[in-house]
Amino acid sequence: MDFNDSEIYREATTQLAHAAKIINLDPNVLTRLTYPIRCLQVSVPVRMDDGKIKVFEGYRVHHNQTLGPGKGGIRYHESVDLGETVGLATLMTFKCALMHLPLGGAKGGVRVDPNKLSRGELQRLTRRYTSEIFSFIGPEKDIPAPDVGTSAQIMDWVMDTYSQEVGHAVPGVVTGKSIETGGSLGRSEATGRGVVYMLIEACKSLGTSLDANTKIAVQGYGNVGSAAAKKLVKMGCQVVALSDVSGGIYNAKGLNLDDVDQYIKENKVLKGFADADAITNEELLCCDCDVLIPAALGGVLTEENASKVKAKIIIEGANNPTTKEADMILTDKGVFVIPDILANAGGVTVSYFEWVQGLNQLFWTEKEVNNRLWEIMSMAYQRVYTIHKEKKCSMRTAALIGGIQRVSKAMLTRGFFP
Ligand code: NAD
C-alpha cells in the first residue's frame, strides 16, 4: 500500500504545508519533512493456541531523526496500516520538537485486535514482532512506547526480547514499562496530567477561572481520560459527563468518580451507572459544559457536530479527534482548541524522562517527574501561545509552527547528506 493514500498522512502533510507557508519555511526542508526516512513492513507469524500459524502485518516507521532517536508508540489495532503509521510518525516528529525533547518521530503497529488473542498469543506476537523490527529499534535509534491496544506488560516483553538478543538488560529500548522493569513513576498518569496542565495554562491566558463552577465533559474514560478527570475533580471542578465504548453518562451536578470507578470494577463498562442520565458518545460532545476533553478516538468532532459543541475550551487528549472541517467551524465559533501535539504531549515527555532515567540507572521521585513535566509543558504552552498571537493563527497551526521551527533549524545546520 502507498502511504500517500492515507487520510491521516495527507492531513498531516496539509497541515505541515499550511504552517510552512506562514513562516516561509525553506522549501527544501518542507520537501524533506513531507517524507518519512524509512518504513519497515514485517510479517509476524504466530502459533495460535489451536496449533495453527497465523501471519499478522506489522510496521515500524522512522519519520525524522534530526534531533535524536525516533520516539513513538506501538499500536495494536485492526486499523493499523502503513499510511496510518507514517501519518502518526510525522506528528510525533513535531510533538517531540515542540516539547524541545532530543527525539525524532517514529511509530509502529500490528494490524490485530488484541482483545481476540489469549495472553500467550499476545506474548508470542509481541516477541516475534520485536524480533522482526530488532534492527530498527534501540536506545540510540528508536524507542517505542505503548499506544492504543498495547500496555506496560507488552513493553516489558519488547524490552525482554530485545535484551535477550543483545545479551544484557537494555531498559532504554522502550518506555512505558512497568516500574519493576525500569518504568518511570508518574508515567501512567502523565498524559492526563499534561492535559490538565494545559487547561490550567489556557484558563490563565483566557482570563477564566478553573473552579467549582467549571463543568467538564470527558469522552473516553481510559488511561488519558480517567487521569485527567480525577485530577480535575481533585482541583475542585465538576466532571459532568464521561463515556467509554459502551456509551456515556451525564449528571449536571457532577459525577462521583469513586462511585464510577467502583461501578466499572464490577461491570467493566460505564453503561448502566445509576446516578446519572445515559447519553450517547455523540451527545457527550455537545452536552452542556465549559470544557470538553476528547480522550478516546480520532475523528470524533466533525462537520456534523462541531456547530453544536457548547464547550468554550477543547483540550485534545486523543490524537486527531477533530477533522479539518470541524476545526474551521470551531474556530469561527470562537472555541479555544488546545491541539493534540501540545495537549497530550505529557505522555511522550515522561517517556523521555523514563529513557533518561534508564540510560543513567538513576530514578527520580514522582514529585520530581511531575515538577519537570509542569516546567516543560508550561514553557511549550507559552511558546505556542506567543506564536498564536504573533502570527494570528490557530493554536493548532501555532503548535505545528513551534515544532517545525525547532526541527528545521537543526536540519539546516546539520545540512543534507551527501
Ligand atoms: P485507552 O484504551 O486507555 O482508553 C480509551 C477509552 O476510549 C476507553 O474508555 C474506551 O472504552 C473508549 N473508547 C474506545 N472506543 C470508543 C468509541 N468508539 N467511542 C467512545 N469511546 C471509546 O486509551 P488511552 O491510552 O487513554 O488513549 C486515548 C487517546 O489518547 C488515543 O487517541 C491515544 O492515541 C491518545 N494518546 C494517549 C497517550 C497515552 O499516554 N496513553 C498519549 C498521547 C495520546
Side-chain angles (χ1 to χ4, degrees):
M1 181 205 163
D2 183 352
F3 59 77
N4 287 295
D5 292 345
S6 149
E7 178 65 29
I8 179 161
Y9 169 73
R10 267 190 277 125
E11 182 66 22
T13 48
T14 307
Q15 283 181 28
L16 171 65
H18 174 60
K21 204 169 165 195
I22 296 176
I23 55 169
N24 289 322
L25 182 69
D26 183 310
N28 290 325
V29 171
L30 176 60
T31 303
R32 183 67 190 99
L33 284 174
T34 305
Y35 294 89
I37 311 174
R38 52 186 84 88
C39 307
L40 178 65
Q41 178 171 353
V42 294
S43 300
V44 187
V46 178
R47 188 173 297 280
M48 307 302 280
D49 291 346
D50 64 6
K52 291 192 184 124
I53 297 288
K54 213 168 161 181
V55 178
F56 296 88
E57 204 177 291
Y59 301 92
R60 189 73 195 168
V61 169
H62 296 165
H63 174 260
N64 190 283
Q65 293 175 324
T66 305
L67 297 169
K71 188 89 193 84
I74 294 174
R75 182 171 287 198
Y76 284 179
H77 196 272
E78 280 170 316
S79 73
V80 168
D81 60 26
L82 180 61
E84 181 188 90
T85 313
V86 173
L88 292 169
T90 309
L91 291 175
M92 284 308 295
T93 296
F94 302 118
K95 191 186 286 189
C96 293
L98 172 64
M99 304 314 287
H100 286 194
L101 306 179
L103 298 167
K107 199 83 186 184
V110 178
R111 193 178 180 86
V112 59
D113 178 353
N115 300 315
K116 290 191 181 144
L117 300 190
S118 69
R119 184 182 159 88
E121 289 166 343
L122 203 55
Q123 178 169 178
R124 293 193 290 281
L125 172 86
T126 301
R127 289 187 181 280
R128 184 58 192 253
Y129 168 69
T130 307
S131 168
E132 293 297 337
I133 64 164
F134 175 77
S135 60
F136 248 50
I137 60 171
E140 276 138 19
K141 274 191 218 171
D142 171 14
I143 309 132
D147 192 72
V148 176
T150 54
S151 59
Q153 172 62 80
I154 287 173
M155 294 307 110
D156 289 353
W157 289 329
V158 174
M159 182 268 192
D160 185 68
T161 308
Y162 186 90
S163 300
Q164 295 298 335
E165 299 252 6
V166 294
H168 57 88
V170 188
V173 67
V174 280
T175 60
K177 303 179 290 295
S178 62
I179 300 294
E180 296 73 25
T181 41
S184 177
L185 292 171
R187 171 62 186 90
S188 55
E189 309 81 37
T191 308
R193 182 175 279 273
V195 162
V196 177
Y197 287 171
M198 293 301 89
L199 176 58
I200 294 171
E201 288 292 355
C203 289
K204 271 197 236 160
S205 50
L206 297 174
T208 26
S209 54
L210 197 56
D211 53 31
N213 294 319
T214 314
K215 291 180 189 288
I216 320 259
V218 182
Q219 186 185 53
Y221 194 64
N223 176 295
V224 178
S226 68
K230 281 173 192 161
K231 179 135 182 71
L232 286 162
V233 165
K234 257 193 190 158
M235 287 164 55
C237 304
Q238 289 179 46
V239 171
V240 293
L242 288 175
S243 72
D244 64 12
V245 69
S246 72
I249 53 173
Y250 179 82
N251 183 335
K253 293 191 192 122
L255 294 157
N256 181 321
L257 297 192
D258 290 336
D259 292 349
V260 169
D261 285 344
Q262 187 56 36
Y263 184 82
I264 292 178
K265 210 169 155 192
E266 287 160 15
N267 300 280
K268 301 236 172 350
V269 288
L270 282 169
K271 194 176 175 159
F273 179 72
D275 195 19
D277 297 329
I279 54 171
T280 63
N281 262 291
E282 189 65 24
E283 284 165 342
L284 179 138
L285 297 169
C286 307
C287 77
D288 195 9
C289 65
D290 303 298
V291 179
L292 172 65
I293 305 177
L297 300 182
V300 292
L301 287 162
T302 61
E303 200 172 4
E304 283 74 44
N305 58 24
S307 60
K308 294 182 229 146
V309 167
K310 297 198 183 68
K312 296 172 226 40
I313 301 177
I314 296 178
I315 317 275
E316 295 183 341
N319 283 317
N320 295 302
T322 312
T323 64
K324 64 174 182 297
E325 293 79 15
D327 212 22
M328 284 191 272
I329 296 169
L330 293 169
T331 307
D332 288 347
K333 269 168 65 95
V335 179
F336 193 70
V337 181
I338 312 276
D340 47 7
I341 64 166
L342 176 61
N344 68 33
V348 74
T349 304
V350 176
S351 270
Y352 160 63
F353 296 162
E354 181 178 330
W355 176 62
V356 169
Q357 293 171 78
L359 292 179
N360 291 298
Q361 288 299 306
L362 180 68
F363 292 91
W364 309 345
T365 63
E366 191 162 352
K367 195 168 170 216
E368 236 173 320
V369 169
N370 293 342
N371 288 346
R372 286 180 197 255
L373 176 64
W374 166 256
E375 205 177 319
I376 288 187
M377 290 203 75
S378 55
M379 284 193 307
Y381 180 91
Q382 292 313 326
R383 285 194 293 275
V384 173
Y385 192 69
T386 304
I387 298 170
H388 159 68
K389 286 284 164 197
E390 279 177 10
K391 305 278 183 202
K392 296 188 176 38
C393 61
S394 68
M395 287 290 281
R396 187 180 310 286
T397 303
L400 202 53
I401 288 177
I404 295 169
Q405 281 174 330
R406 179 85 172 174
V407 74
S408 64
K409 277 184 198 147
M411 284 168 79
L412 286 168
T413 51
R414 281 185 58 169
F416 289 89
F417 176 82

